[in-house]
Amino acid sequence: RRVHGTTQSTWGDPRAQVMETLPVVWDWLRDHPQAVPLAVAPCPGTSQEGNLIWSALAGPNHLADWLMWVEKPSLQELLAVVTIGSNVVGYTNTAHGGLIAAVFDELTGCLCSSWAESYAVGGSPYTANLTVDYRRPLPVGTRVAIMAKIVSVEGRKVNITATCCDARSGTLLYSECKALYVVVYRATTPVDL
């Protein structure tokens, strides 16, 4: 964040200072002045061990430089910045489409889990449906900004939309996502299905 002409990072580390000066990040943080950093790995309700994103795909040649912020106090919007590495390709020099879907699933799930934990809904959200629209190939080495937003909550159903765009320009849209999560309540006694 800019404070009287100087940069004061919400994370307190040099990576964040650089990323917070990116136009997309800067604009989002300006529009969400109460946003706070969110622990990147693991997201609420998950464990790093065995997690596809955090144990298998996080790293310098895969998904690097993860930073996330969540909007407070409602916890209904999230911004993540990540660099797509060279070891996650589908076609030459292009990020694998399945990777993009997995990142959307992780981040929309992280937002939904943060929301559910904060509002003590008493259950865990699970992905019921995830639809990704790919708008253009995503080159490796690209730093992207992924913005997710809870658009509605209907009983146990939570609808989330997300976009993935170039973090430097903010104008190149790579992909969009619609996700439906269903909150599964923890049973106190065994339940017959």
Side-chain angles (χ1 to χ4, degrees), residues 61-63 82-101 103 134 136-142 144 164 174-175:
N61 294 320
H62 296 88
L63 297 171
V82 64
T83 302
I84 307 299
S86 58
N87 288 349
V88 290
V89 298
Y91 287 104
T92 304
N93 296 321
T94 304
H96 193 285
L99 170 82
I100 295 166
V103 169
Y134 299 95
R136 64 174 34 94
L138 174 54
V140 297
T142 302
V144 295
C164 174
Y174 292 109
S175 51

Side-chain angles (χ1 to χ4, degrees), residues 72-182:
K72 288 279 192 171
S74 71
L75 296 171
Q76 293 196 8
E77 292 187 56
L78 175 140
L79 168 68
V81 179
V82 64
T83 302
I84 307 299
S86 58
N87 288 349
V88 290
V89 298
Y91 287 104
T92 304
N93 296 321
T94 304
H96 193 285
L99 170 82
I100 295 166
V103 169
F104 272 134
D105 184 49
E106 185 69 18
L107 293 176
T108 56
C110 187
L111 175 61
C112 196
S113 294
S114 296
W115 170 83
E117 185 177 272
S118 176
Y119 286 92
V121 297
S124 300
Y126 286 84
T127 311
N129 191 354
L130 184 81
T131 303
V132 178
D133 293 322
Y134 299 95
R135 301 298 181 197
R136 64 174 34 94
L138 174 54
V140 297
T142 302
R143 183 171 285 159
V144 295
I146 300 167
M147 291 167 272
K149 181 177 184 174
I150 295 176
V151 292
S152 69
V153 178
E154 302 162 15
R156 298 186 312 129
K157 296 178 182 178
V158 181
N159 289 287
I160 301 175
T161 59
T163 58
C164 174
C165 67
D166 182 81
R168 287 177 178 81
S169 71
T171 58
L172 286 177
L173 178 65
Y174 292 109
S175 51
E176 298 174 289
C177 163
K178 291 180 184 173
L180 169 64
Y181 284 83
V182 174

Side-chain angles (χ1 to χ4, degrees), residues 13-104:
D13 82 34
R15 285 182 317 146
Q17 285 185 320
V18 170
M19 288 196 189
E20 288 177 357
T21 62
L22 296 169
V24 170
V25 176
W26 177 257
D27 290 344
W28 194 88
L29 289 173
R30 181 198 64 222
D31 295 341
H32 301 85
Q34 295 182 23
V36 295
L38 185 64
V40 174
C43 290
T46 65
S47 123
Q48 190 167 1
E49 184 176 321
N51 182 291
L52 173 67
I53 298 293
W54 306 117
S55 67
L57 295 176
N61 294 320
H62 296 88
L63 297 171
D65 299 327
W66 280 92
L67 289 176
M68 291 193 300
W69 295 266
V70 66
E71 173 268 335
K72 288 279 192 171
S74 71
L75 296 171
Q76 293 196 8
E77 292 187 56
L78 175 140
L79 168 68
V81 179
V82 64
T83 302
I84 307 299
S86 58
N87 288 349
V88 290
V89 298
Y91 287 104
T92 304
N93 296 321
T94 304
H96 193 285
L99 170 82
I100 295 166
V103 169
F104 272 134

